[in-house]
């Protein structure tokens, strides 16, 4: 591990290693620097080092190194500069995503390149052998080797970032953004396995957030911003799960959202609730839970009707039709009737769980099937007016299936209605959060319901019917399908029937004498007989009399019924408003309680922090004193060692050794040594000066003689060199003349060759010059066009920036207004609190004044204590000691005490106070109890016991302790 004096040196070393191709060594050097304990304080160069470090990690696909580095960097800048950590993580995500996109763009066959079930699983040996012996050639194999590793690294990057940012209140927005990107990654590339793991990771993070609530920098879910981020993340998870077709994971996401709502005791916005219930409808429909699907649609209808002001009448009619058809699609019998006890308990728990998710709170003492049932839902739809909002064919279908009795032509009446319903549906224009409504999905369930109703009604009028006749009555299915439907109905005691294929008939039975079907049948039969009797034997006089009295009885009854329904709806609405107001009041009270609790906790934390700071300060002072004492001892020992032998000690033996004394002694000693050393140096310098002057005086004539000899020798050497140079110049001139005469005959040929070369080169130069001018003109034109385009782009960008700046200024102005408004509200609230505190303070002062007056009255009452006979409570041996101070000490004794002592005599000694107590009584007020009175019985104590307390504290009604004056 290399040690660097500055972080910049490590960055330079890494750049040098990268330039020579040693990226692994550069990564290791930066990793050692980041994980070193030497650089635990944040500096600006560390951010540049992290950028370079993450670049190397991405290039080399070192996910583990990147995670270790980010964890260490989070420790460094968590409390100093969190924005730096945010920028580093964003840079890391950008690099990983860019590399993955580049790899994906290089692959032609994306489906084959991503044909991997699990991105975290390594390749098996058999897969490697198969890839060797198979016919996979060229590009397919290269695509697989190129794209899959980068997508594995990108997935590992998302996991690493989420793990680092979990439960960090300062980076909640970055955490939510990373989770959203991870969801989009799973959605874009159909990564179902990774999506399940991602949901589990986020779920565990929320569980740990609740588990470790006292953790530092933990996100506060009661804050609106934090709660909104967590809700948005869960709703994104729900949307992606439904789009990927992971219905089980979607249901778990719904449970996560409900758990988050219960945790913070707050209801999400209406727009989010619409998405929540729309996804619930899809989940329950896929899971074949028609009852919960219908309840979810009913809840969605209520939200759209109450909160969507832009909802058109057509969309409202379509939603209401969906609610009614979903309720009709629920089987008309209870499957739990033939279940075992264990199955009933499981069904009860499941109903309670589903009802909580939908928003219906069930009491545990009620059974779930009594609360969430088909009949209760249908009656609720009628009373709430949902049926009146549905389309006409849905209303007709509801009345035919639920209220009318047509056993022979039920199928022929329902079939055209179902054909019309199957053609209805479409996208809701005024409710974009809802899925596309297709009423045709309910047609199979409605056909099955119509078949069950037909079998039920036929069983009431027929005991035996032929199979062919029954098949003609059911135009929807073949008889084999009808037989399967009838098996379910018989199993759940909806109808009693048997199929005899030998005789080709269907035999209907009864469900018992006390069955609802038989009672209904008898009631209908009785009503029919009454109608026949009235038709055969009318009673004109009674009818005419009744008609005369009440001519419009039917209209009156209808109007009264409508009035009662309207009154009932008004009462229901008032109840809902009252419940909503009650919930708001409870929420406000809870917020006030939490705020008060938070203030109390903050005050306690401040007090504890102040105490801790004081203890730390005292400890630091003690450590400083101890350290100074140790340094003084060391300096004293060092000074004594450096002292000369026989020299007296400066400090006496009994004197206290302190750092200042030792430093003063050492400083004095150093000054003396320095003065002595300066004297020695001055003496040595004077000696050296004398010696140097003597040497120079002796060396001067010798140096002059040597200089004259050297001058003569250099003059002779110069003359010899000059003569040799003249001779060499003469020889070179003669040889040059001979060479010139030899080459003069070639001068004509040289000039001709020179002219040819110059002419050829001039032509080449002219051609190149022409081409260059043409190319320059083209470049000038192209650059002119580019400048025009760039100028237009700059103008557009300037306009766009100006628009954005204006929008930002408007937004900032709005925020400033809101901040001023909040400040004004806080000032008003503070003024009210100050007023309340001032009133409380005045009340306390009044109570203290009352208490003070009460004390004065008590003290006045004790000035004249009643005379009472004294009882001996001490031994006779102690009596002289008790009386002696009062008789022979010469101090002042009160008159009443002297009278009491004279009256009692020596035979009955009484406990007397010391003279100090008498003086205290006369000078300071009420006396104090002595140890003698405290140890005696209650009869020895003087009156006014509350005023005679010794060493105790009197507490006021407000909890403040006031010490009593003690004895001198």
């Amino acid at each position: 591990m290399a040690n660097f004096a500055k972080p910049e040196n490590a960055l330079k070393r890494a750049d040098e290693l990268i330039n020579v191709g040693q990226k692994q060594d550069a990564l290791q050097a930066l990793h050692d620097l980041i994980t070193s304990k030497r650089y635990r304080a944040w500096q600006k160069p560390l951010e540049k080092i992290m950028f370079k470090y993450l670049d190397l990690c991405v290039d080399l696909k070192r996910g583990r190194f990147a995670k270790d580095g980010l964890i260490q960097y989070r420790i460094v800048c968590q409390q100093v500069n969190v924005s730096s950590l945010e920028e580093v993580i964003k840079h890391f995500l950008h690099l990983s995503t860019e590399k993955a996109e580049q790899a994906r763009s290089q692959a032609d066959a994306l489906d084959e390149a991503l044909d991997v079930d699990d991105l975290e699983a390594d390749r098996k040996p058999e897969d490697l052998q198969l890839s060797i012996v198979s016919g996979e050639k060229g590009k397919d194999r290269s695509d697989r080797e190129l794209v899959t590793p980068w997508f594995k690294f990108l997935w590992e990057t998302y996991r690493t970032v989420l793990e680092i940012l979990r439960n960090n209140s300062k980076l909640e927005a970055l955490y939510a953004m990373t989770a959203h990107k991870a969801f989009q990654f799973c959605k874009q590339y159909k990564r179902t396995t990774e999506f399940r793991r991602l949901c589990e990771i986020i779920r565990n993070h929320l569980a740990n957030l609740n588990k470790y609530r006292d953790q530092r920098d933990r996100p506060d879910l009661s804050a609106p911003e934090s709660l909104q981020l967590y809700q948005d993340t869960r709703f994104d998870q729900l949307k992606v799960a439904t789009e990927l077709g992971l219905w089980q994971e979607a249901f778990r996401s719904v449970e996560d959202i409900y758990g988050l709502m219960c945790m913070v005791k707050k209801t999400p916005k209406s727009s989010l609730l619409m998405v929540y219930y729309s996804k619930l409808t899809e989940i329950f429909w896929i899971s074949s839970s028609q009852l919960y699907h219908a309840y979810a649609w009913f809840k969605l209808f209520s939200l759209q009707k109450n909160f969507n002001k832009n909802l058109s009448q057509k969309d409202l009619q379509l939603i209401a039709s969906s609610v009614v058809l979903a309720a009709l699609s629920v089987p008309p019998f209870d499957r739990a009737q033939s279940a075992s006890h264990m199955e009933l308990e499981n069904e009860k728990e499941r109903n309670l769980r589903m009802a909580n998710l939908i928003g219906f709170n069930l009491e545990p003492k009620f059974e779930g099937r009594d609360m969430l049932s088909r009949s209760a839902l249908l009656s609720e739809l009628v009373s709430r007016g949902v049926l009146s909002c549905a389309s006409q064919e849905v209303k007709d279908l509801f009345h035919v299936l639920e209220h009318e009795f047509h056993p022979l032509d039920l199928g022929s009446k329902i079939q055209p209605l179902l054909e019309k319903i199957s053609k209805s549906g479409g996208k809701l224009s005024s409710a974009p959060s809802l899925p596309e409504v297709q009423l045709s999905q309910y047609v199979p369930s409605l056909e099955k319901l119509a078949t069950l109703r037909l079998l039920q009604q036929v069983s009431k009028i027929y005991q035996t019917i032929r199979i062919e006749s029954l098949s003609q009555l059911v135009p929807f299915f073949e008889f084999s399908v009808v037989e399967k439907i009838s098996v379910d109905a018989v199993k759940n005691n909806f109808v009693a029937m048997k199929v005899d294929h030998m005789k080709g008939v269907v035999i209907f039975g009864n469900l018992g004498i006390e069955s609802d079907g038989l009672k209904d049948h008898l009631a209908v039969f009785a009503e029919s007989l009454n109608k026949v009797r009235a038709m055969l034997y009318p009673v004109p006089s009674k009818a005419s009399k009744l008609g005369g009295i009440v001519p419009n009885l039917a209209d009156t009854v209808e109007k009264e019924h409508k009035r009662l329904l309207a009154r009932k709806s008004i009462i229901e609405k008032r109840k809902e408003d009252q419940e909503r107001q009650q919930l708001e009041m409870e929420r406000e009270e809870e917020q006030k309680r939490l705020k008060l609790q938070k203030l109390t906790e903050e005050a306690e934390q401040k007090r504890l922090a102040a105490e801790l700071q004081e203890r730390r300060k005292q400890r630091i002072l003690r450590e400083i004193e101890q350290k100074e004492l140790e340094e003084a001892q060391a300096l004293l020992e060092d000074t004594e060692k450096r002292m000369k032998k026989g020299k007296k000690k400066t400090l006496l033996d009994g004197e206290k050794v302190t750092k200042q004394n030792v430093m003063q002694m050492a400083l004095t000693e150093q000054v003396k040594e320095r003065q002595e050393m300066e004297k020695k140096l001055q003496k040595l310098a004077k000696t050296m000066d004398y010696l140097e002057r003597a040497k120079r005086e002796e060396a001067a004539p010798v140096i002059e003689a040597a200089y004259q000899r050297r001058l003569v020798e250099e003059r002779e050497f110069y003359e010899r060199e000059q003569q040799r140079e003249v001779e060499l110049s003469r020889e070179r001139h003669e040889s040059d003349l001979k060479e010139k005469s030899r080459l003069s005959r070639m001068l004509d040929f040289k000039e001709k060759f020179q002219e040819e070369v110059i002419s050829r080169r001039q032509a080449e130069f002219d051609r190149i010059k022409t081409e260059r001018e043409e190319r320059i003109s083209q470049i000038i034109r192209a650059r002119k066009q580019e400048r025009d385009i760039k100028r237009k782009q700059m103008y557009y960008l300037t306009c766009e920036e100006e628009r954005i700046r204006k929008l930002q200024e408007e937004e900032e102005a709005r925020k400033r207004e809101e901040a001023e408004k909040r400040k004004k509200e806080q000032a008003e609230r503070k003024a009210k609190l100050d007023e309340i505190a001032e009133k409380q303070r005045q009340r306390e002062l009044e109570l203290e004044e009352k208490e003070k007056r009460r004390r004065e009255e008590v003290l006045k009452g004790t000035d004249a204590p009643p005379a009472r006979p004294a009882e001996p409570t001490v031994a006779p041996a102690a009596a002289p000691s008790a009386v002696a101070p009062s008789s022979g000490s010469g101090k002042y004794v009160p008159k009443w005490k002297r009278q009491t002592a004279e009256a009692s005599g020596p035979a009955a000694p009484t406990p007397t106070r010391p003279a100090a107590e008498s003086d205290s009584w006369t000078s300071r007020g009420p006396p104090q109890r002595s140890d003698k009175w405290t140890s005696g019985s209650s009869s020895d104590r003087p009156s006014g016991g509350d005023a005679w307390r010794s060493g105790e504290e009197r507490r006021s009604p407000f909890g403040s302790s006031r010490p009593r004056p003690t004895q001198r």
Side-chain angles (χ1 to χ4, degrees), residues 212 297 391 443 460 640 932 945 968:
Y212 306 104
W297 260 116
S391 60
V443 171
K460 294 179 180 180
E640 290 177 354
K932 189 173 181 180
R968 294 182 181 176

Side-chain angles (χ1 to χ4, degrees), residues 762-772:
Q762 183 66 32
E764 183 69 19
F765 172 75
D766 294 339
R767 183 181 61 80
I768 293 173
K769 183 178 179 182
T770 305
E771 293 177 355
R772 178 175 174 276

Side-chain angles (χ1 to χ4, degrees), residues 361-374:
N361 295 322
L362 298 182
E363 297 293 336
K365 61 184 180 180
F366 296 111
E367 295 186 0
R369 61 175 181 270
D370 295 336
M371 298 296 292
L372 294 182
S373 62
R374 184 177 185 273

Side-chain angles (χ1 to χ4, degrees), residues 4-11 33-34 36-51 72-85 87-88:
F4 298 99
K6 294 182 180 180
E8 295 88 344
N9 298 340
L11 188 60
L33 176 74
I34 292 170
S36 175
K37 294 183 179 180
R38 184 175 180 180
Y39 305 101
R40 288 301 175 90
W42 185 84
Q43 307 174 28
K44 186 63 176 177
L46 286 179
E47 184 175 349
K48 298 179 181 179
I49 291 173
M50 281 302 300
F51 285 148
Q72 294 296 328
Y73 193 66
R74 180 187 63 181
I75 295 172
V76 171
C77 62
Q78 175 69 29
Q79 305 299 330
V80 181
N81 191 357
V82 183
S83 59
S84 177
L85 177 61
E87 293 298 328
V88 168

Side-chain angles (χ1 to χ4, degrees), residues 367-384:
E367 295 186 0
R369 61 175 181 270
D370 295 336
M371 298 296 292
L372 294 182
S373 62
R374 184 177 185 273
S375 58
L377 178 60
L378 291 176
S379 62
E380 190 76 14
L381 295 181
V382 174
S383 62
R384 292 291 182 89

Side-chain angles (χ1 to χ4, degrees), residues 854-872:
R854 188 184 66 79
R855 289 178 187 171
E856 293 176 355
E857 291 175 359
V858 171
L859 294 176
K860 290 179 181 179
T862 55
D863 288 340
R868 59 178 181 179
E871 298 178 1

Side-chain angles (χ1 to χ4, degrees), residues 591-618:
Q591 290 178 356
K592 290 179 181 178
R593 187 186 65 79
L594 292 176
K595 187 176 180 180
L596 182 60
Q597 182 179 0
K598 188 175 180 182
L599 292 175
T600 306
E601 291 177 356
E602 289 178 355
E604 183 66 19
Q605 289 178 359
K606 289 181 180 178
R607 186 184 65 80
L608 293 175
E611 293 179 356
L612 180 62
Q613 188 70 20
E614 185 64 26
R615 289 196 298 270
R616 187 179 298 155
K617 186 177 180 181
Q618 296 294 334

Side-chain angles (χ1 to χ4, degrees), residues 833-892:
L833 292 176
D834 293 341
E835 184 179 355
I836 293 171
E838 183 64 26
K839 291 182 180 178
Q840 182 68 19
R841 194 179 301 108
Q842 293 177 0
R843 194 179 296 111
E844 291 178 357
L845 292 174
E846 291 176 359
L847 292 175
E848 288 181 358
E849 187 66 26
K850 290 181 180 179
E851 180 64 17
K852 186 176 180 181
R853 288 198 299 270
R854 188 184 66 79
R855 289 178 187 171
E856 293 176 355
E857 291 175 359
V858 171
L859 294 176
K860 290 179 181 179
T862 55
D863 288 340
R868 59 178 181 179
E871 298 178 1
T873 57
V874 296
S881 63
V883 180
S886 63
S887 60
S889 61
K891 294 184 179 180
Y892 174 76

